[in-house]
Amino acid sequence: MAQEPNGEAPARARSPILFVALGVVLAGTLLAVAAGRLDPVTGAVVAGAAGLVLAWRGAVAFRIAEQVRHRSVATRKVFEASESVLSSLDVGHVLRTAAETGARLSWHAGAALLFLADDVQQLRLRSSWGLDPAPAEGARILALEPIIAEAARTRRVALTAVRGSQPARDDPSATFRSACALPLQSEAGMVGVLVLLSQKPPEAFREELSLLEYYARQAAMAIDNARLYQQVKDLFESSIRSLADAVDAKDAYTHGHSEDLADLVTMIAREMRLPPREEEKIRWAGLLHDVGKIGIPDAILRKPGKLDPAERAIMMTHATLGAAILDKPGPLQDLVGIVRHHHEWFDGRGYPDGLRGNQIPIGAAILTAADAFDAMTSHRAYHTARGVDVALTELRTHAGTQFNPDVVNALTRVIQRERAAQTPWYATLERRIANPAGGQAPAQEAAMTLTEADLVLRVAQEIRDIGDFSRLLQRTVEVAADIVRTPDCALWLINGQADTMIAEAAVGTSVTVGTETSRTRTPMWRALEQKAAQRDDGGGVIFVPLLTAGKAIGVLQATGSNLGDSEARRLSLVADSIAPVVQAARLRQQAERDARIDAVTGLLSRRSFSDALREQALRHRQWGRPLALTLGEVHDLSLFNATYGYAAGNDLLKRIAELVRDASDGAHILGRVGGGVFAILMPETDKTSADRTLRGLQETMAGREVAIKGQFMPVLPMRWTLATAPPDSNEGDALLGVAERRLLRAAELPERPI
């Protein structure tokens, strides 16, 4: 049996023997007294002593058993809690679950408050559980602000007693005696703080700290994942919306039509209880259902009267053209069937394929009815808007022929409910019907919209094929300057900390690329914070925010002596068009960098290291030059993470990477190919030289101490293996496989110090 800490295993092994021995002594003493061979007084003393020892050992055994049971229950609870909070990618659900599960995980906490860091790293209340009344999102809890700030600053758990006297009536923490603030920190940084409230004193939390800290790390990971997923989703939807706006801008009479239609089809899909994923697809299709009109000539698209047969035939191609545009690998491919068939009729007399009944995708059937309702209640050049009841009657009249009856019934229920509640959506609908001027644009306004559409299309054409991020930004600024007719234009982007902006691209002399500006009360920062265009005091500089999914990512600046409202409008249009493209390119650049470089150590990632290994192996085969590969694995890294936390584990890996880099030759290629596995590729190095290098590296690592979270700790032992070409393999992937198999076998051997 392996030796355990404090000799617990031998102690447990001796316990049964001791119980038996004491039992024998007690029984023998009683029998001796009964047989008269032992004085009763002496027997009573011996029996009493044995009984007391037995009782004491029994109590100790019971306490140990209870501790083991308690630890087992606690372990099960924390794993169940972690699984619960990691089970969703919906930000709202994750935040609610994190607060509730955190409070329930504690044996005595009765409530929880979750504060999340925003773009400027300010902590704001985002979720709560167990409080009545529940505080509003963003509310300040004055009594808890010091402990929240301490936990966020030190990245450590903070405990405090909540004031016994009743504070403000709207302070929910007033009914609790203590609070435990758990910092929520992921690899990406500080996520927020989870505060647990209890009726017991602060010391009651101490026995649970390891349990709660583990849960806090899992909760931070879940929140980080959900927020990242939401950012990607918002960016995707913003790109869809920008494309829909570009399509709508081609026709002054249908501007905003796609957004209105998307709202209506979403409500219908929800009324029909379709799955959330199907509802989302239908909304996207509502935004992009007319994307094929990009290929329809403007003369046909903007014709004020009815189309002749030839023109109608051309117009009808927009459904198949739109489907063809979307029919590319990616998430938009799911919309192809809905967009292609949104002009099919229930009785089979529609186009382009003459589908009927249930052959028509339900999303397309919803889009058909909603599109007809939206068209009937809108003012067009060839008809005035009809009233809501008239439009509904028309839909019901053609239910079963043109429209799916189930969809018409659902649409009717939606309209009736929205009207009864007088929702903002229905109020907007009534205003649109009552205002003919809103739908019949005069020639001058139509010409302006045509100009805007041309600008949008030009911007898209100019930057769509640029792959390099810096070149894309520079070309974007050049196009913006040309459109606004100014010699000076610059594009600023927020850096990672959201407290500075950097000029990433510029033309003219007003701004130098690379200039950095801190957050101040200037028009530039006001444009960012207020998400609206701003001018400087002299009026010669315009700042327009770059918005994507409602979030400001930077500012587009134009400088000139004759910048009026028309130029400001053009600059805003360009900003709206380029913001999703810039953000997508920025995320793609970051993703490509993350794929090349390991975020923790700064060494090559496994994929990049494998590419370099294949390249060097090819040179070996061509020129016969030797090649060596060594792998080193950090021993007991998982135990280190469990003891000190993942942040400390990442610090350890960073320090080891620095040691490996310092001990390696400049010609060596370094990477991290696994959790705690480092790789060194040594081109033109034979086995003898590689062995010498490996011994030097082992000597460098042995006995070294590094600073981890402000404390000096010894570097964990490492296992090392070596593979060379020749003789192990001439192929890069095979050589890596040989080294990894040797590393695995080394892990199975008895431990030896390096």
Side-chain angles (χ1 to χ4, degrees):
M1 180 182 296
Q3 180 70 27
E4 299 190 18
N6 303 321
E8 290 181 8
R12 287 199 296 269
R14 291 194 300 268
S15 294
I17 300 174
L18 183 60
F19 273 106
V20 172
L22 288 172
V24 170
V25 170
L26 182 59
T29 300
L30 294 176
L31 289 174
V33 171
R37 291 194 298 272
L38 186 66
D39 180 65
V41 175
T42 303
V45 172
V46 174
L52 286 174
V53 173
L54 275 174
W56 173 72
R57 291 299 301 177
V60 170
F62 177 78
R63 188 178 75 251
I64 292 174
E66 280 297 298
Q67 289 175 346
V68 171
R69 186 187 66 81
H70 180 81
R71 190 178 298 114
S72 175
V73 171
T75 302
R76 188 183 74 251
K77 283 184 64 178
V78 75
F79 277 114
E80 290 175 349
S82 300
E83 184 178 356
S84 175
V85 77
L86 287 165
S87 63
S88 173
L89 285 173
D90 178 78
V91 175
H93 177 79
V94 169
L95 296 180
R96 291 190 299 271
T97 303
E100 178 180 354
T101 308
R104 292 185 183 276
L105 182 60
S106 170
W107 297 100
H108 53 88
L113 296 151
L114 195 151
F115 296 81
L116 207 59
D118 60 15
D119 292 340
V120 293
Q121 294 300 300
Q122 292 183 342
L123 292 167
R124 302 184 186 280
L125 179 63
R126 290 294 304 275
S127 183
S128 65
W129 181 83
L131 298 175
D132 188 18
E137 182 175 327
R140 295 183 61 184
I141 312 297
L142 298 179
L144 299 177
E145 287 188 355
I147 187 177
I148 294 170
E150 179 185 351
R153 185 184 72 256
T154 64
R155 305 294 198 268
R156 294 173 180 246
V157 177
L159 302 174
T160 188
V162 180
R163 292 175 298 179
S165 58
Q166 294 290 329
R169 291 181 59 188
D170 60 350
D171 187 349
S173 67
T175 58
F176 293 92
R177 294 177 58 194
S178 65
C180 172
L182 300 164
L184 304 176
Q185 188 167 352
S186 70
E187 290 189 4
M190 189 68 183
V191 175
V193 174
L194 176 63
V195 180
L196 306 183
L197 301 172
S198 173
Q199 295 283 5
K200 292 189 175 184
E203 292 73 21
F205 283 107
R206 295 197 182 279
E207 293 184 4
E208 305 173 332
L209 287 187
S210 60
L211 181 87
L212 296 174
E213 286 176 330
Y214 177 84
Y215 170 75
R217 290 194 293 270
Q218 301 301 305
M221 185 189 308
I223 294 171
D224 223 19
N225 290 343
R227 293 174 83 179
L228 180 60
Y229 174 79
Q230 187 63 46
Q231 288 174 6
V232 173
K233 182 180 175 183
D234 289 345
L235 175 62
F236 177 64
E237 291 186 354
S238 178
S239 301
I240 290 177
R241 191 168 287 108
S242 296
L243 181 56
D245 289 343
V247 175
D248 285 355
K250 289 196 71 178
D251 188 349
Y253 296 100
T254 60
H255 188 69
H257 162 68
S258 296
E259 192 74 42
D260 294 339
L261 188 63
D263 292 338
L264 181 54
V265 296
T266 302
M267 290 188 287
I268 297 172
R270 195 168 299 150
E271 178 68 23
M272 297 183 71
R273 300 183 183 278
L274 297 182
R277 174 59 183 150
E278 189 70 20
E279 177 185 316
E280 186 177 57
K281 284 168 50 180
I282 294 171
R283 177 173 182 81
W284 292 347
L287 288 167
L288 295 178
H289 71 292
D290 278 340
V291 68
K293 288 184 177 179
I294 287 178
I296 304 299
D298 291 344
I300 296 176
L301 199 60
R302 294 190 175 90
K303 185 175 180 178
K306 289 186 176 182
L307 303 178
D308 61 35
E311 292 169 336
R312 176 168 173 74
I314 295 174
M315 178 65 83
M316 289 171 63
T317 64
H318 82 276
T320 53
L321 179 58
I325 291 173
L326 301 178
D327 194 11
K328 304 291 187 297
L332 293 182
Q333 198 169 34
D334 293 340
L335 313 184
V336 170
I338 301 176
V339 171
R340 179 181 179 87
H341 300 300
H342 77 277
H343 281 291
E344 303 282 4
W345 283 27
F346 192 75
D347 62 4
R349 292 186 294 133
Y351 66 90
D353 298 320
L355 301 185
R356 59 182 298 175
N358 292 332
Q359 294 176 332
I360 304 172
I362 186 61
I366 290 174
L367 197 53
T368 300
D371 197 14
F373 178 83
D374 186 83
M376 285 187 287
T377 55
S378 300
H379 294 280
R380 302 289 169 86
Y382 44 86
H383 73 70
T384 58
R386 305 181 190 182
V388 171
D389 291 328
V390 175
L392 290 177
T393 300
E394 187 73 12
L395 288 174
R396 285 192 290 266
T397 299
H398 295 281
T401 54
Q402 184 175 356
F403 308 113
N404 184 315
D406 294 336
V407 173
V408 172
N409 291 336
L411 188 154
T412 302
R413 292 194 299 271
V414 166
I415 299 300
Q416 291 173 343
R417 184 175 60 249
E418 295 290 304
R419 176 160 51 187
Q422 282 298 301
T423 63
W425 179 87
Y426 189 81
T428 301
L429 173 63
E430 286 193 322
R431 285 196 300 271
R432 185 178 74 192
I433 295 172
N435 182 18
Q440 296 179 347
Q444 182 180 1
E445 184 178 342
M448 183 182 297
T449 307
L450 172 60
T451 303
E452 291 179 356
D454 293 339
L455 290 177
V456 172
L457 292 175
R458 180 187 168 190
V459 172
Q461 290 168 355
E462 288 278 358
I463 67 177
R464 65 182 179 184
D465 296 325
I466 301 177
D468 180 73
F469 183 61
S470 298
R471 177 57 187 151
L472 181 140
L473 297 183
Q474 185 62 33
R475 187 56 188 150
T476 297
V477 170
E478 293 169 358
V479 173
D482 187 34
I483 289 175
V484 181
R485 303 187 186 94
T486 179
D488 284 285
C489 198
L491 190 149
W492 302 76
L493 292 180
I494 300 175
N495 71 355
Q497 287 70 43
D499 55 0
T500 59
M501 276 194 290
I502 299 176
E504 300 285 357
V507 294
T509 59
S510 298
V511 177
T512 302
V513 174
T515 302
E516 187 170 324
T517 175
S518 300
R519 184 179 291 272
T520 54
R521 296 305 302 169
T522 59
M524 176 189 292
W525 283 97
R526 284 202 304 271
L528 193 77
E529 294 165 357
Q530 299 177 14
K531 300 178 181 178
Q534 302 286 329
R535 288 181 181 268
D536 70 341
D537 293 338
V541 185
I542 302 174
F543 302 97
V544 175
L546 298 170
L547 302 176
T548 175
K551 180 179 179 180
I553 63 170
V555 169
L556 191 59
Q557 172 186 340
T559 304
S561 56
N562 297 307
L563 298 180
D565 292 341
S566 176
E567 286 72 24
R569 180 183 178 88
R570 286 169 173 260
L571 190 67
S572 296
L573 182 63
V574 172
D576 291 343
S577 303
I578 68 171
V581 179
V582 170
Q583 180 69 342
R586 196 180 193 185
L587 292 177
R588 184 171 60 251
Q589 181 198 46
Q590 183 62 42
E592 290 172 352
R593 183 190 180 282
D594 292 345
R596 295 192 308 271
I597 304 298
D598 176 57
V600 174
T601 63
L603 305 180
L604 292 180
S605 66
R606 182 183 180 95
R607 189 177 76 178
S608 297
F609 185 85
S610 297
D611 291 341
L613 177 56
R614 294 188 196 101
E615 180 181 345
Q616 293 299 326
L618 177 61
R619 293 183 179 179
H620 160 73
R621 293 194 300 273
Q622 288 177 335
W623 308 107
R625 293 169 180 169
L627 181 66
L629 168 67
T630 182
L631 298 183
E633 181 177 22
V634 181
H635 182 47
D636 281 341
L637 179 61
S638 59
L639 178 60
F640 186 91
N641 287 336
T643 304
Y644 299 104
Y646 285 96
N650 286 343
D651 264 7
L652 175 65
L653 293 176
K654 290 178 186 176
R655 303 290 88 79
I656 292 176
E658 292 169 359
L659 293 176
V660 171
R661 190 182 289 111
D662 293 342
S664 299
D665 187 277
H668 294 168
I669 300 171
L670 311 179
R672 180 188 176 205
V673 297
V677 181
F678 293 84
I680 305 175
L681 181 59
M682 295 175 273
E684 302 188 18
T685 304
D686 58 20
K687 188 176 187 306
T688 302
S689 299
D691 279 330
R692 187 166 53 250
T693 299
L694 182 54
R695 285 195 299 272
L697 183 61
Q698 290 174 327
E699 292 172 0
T700 299
M701 305 288 288
R704 289 294 297 267
E705 288 190 343
V706 292
I708 307 293
K709 297 297 181 183
Q711 300 180 13
F712 280 98
M713 298 183 181
V715 174
L716 294 181
M718 295 184 68
R719 304 183 188 93
W720 295 91
T721 60
L722 182 66
T724 59
D728 292 314
S729 177
N730 294 327
E731 298 288 340
D733 292 339
L735 193 66
L736 182 57
V738 170
E740 288 181 323
R741 286 193 294 274
R742 289 176 179 171
L743 195 62
L744 182 61
R745 287 198 296 270
E748 296 171 350
L749 296 174
E751 295 179 21
R752 294 180 300 171
I754 62 172

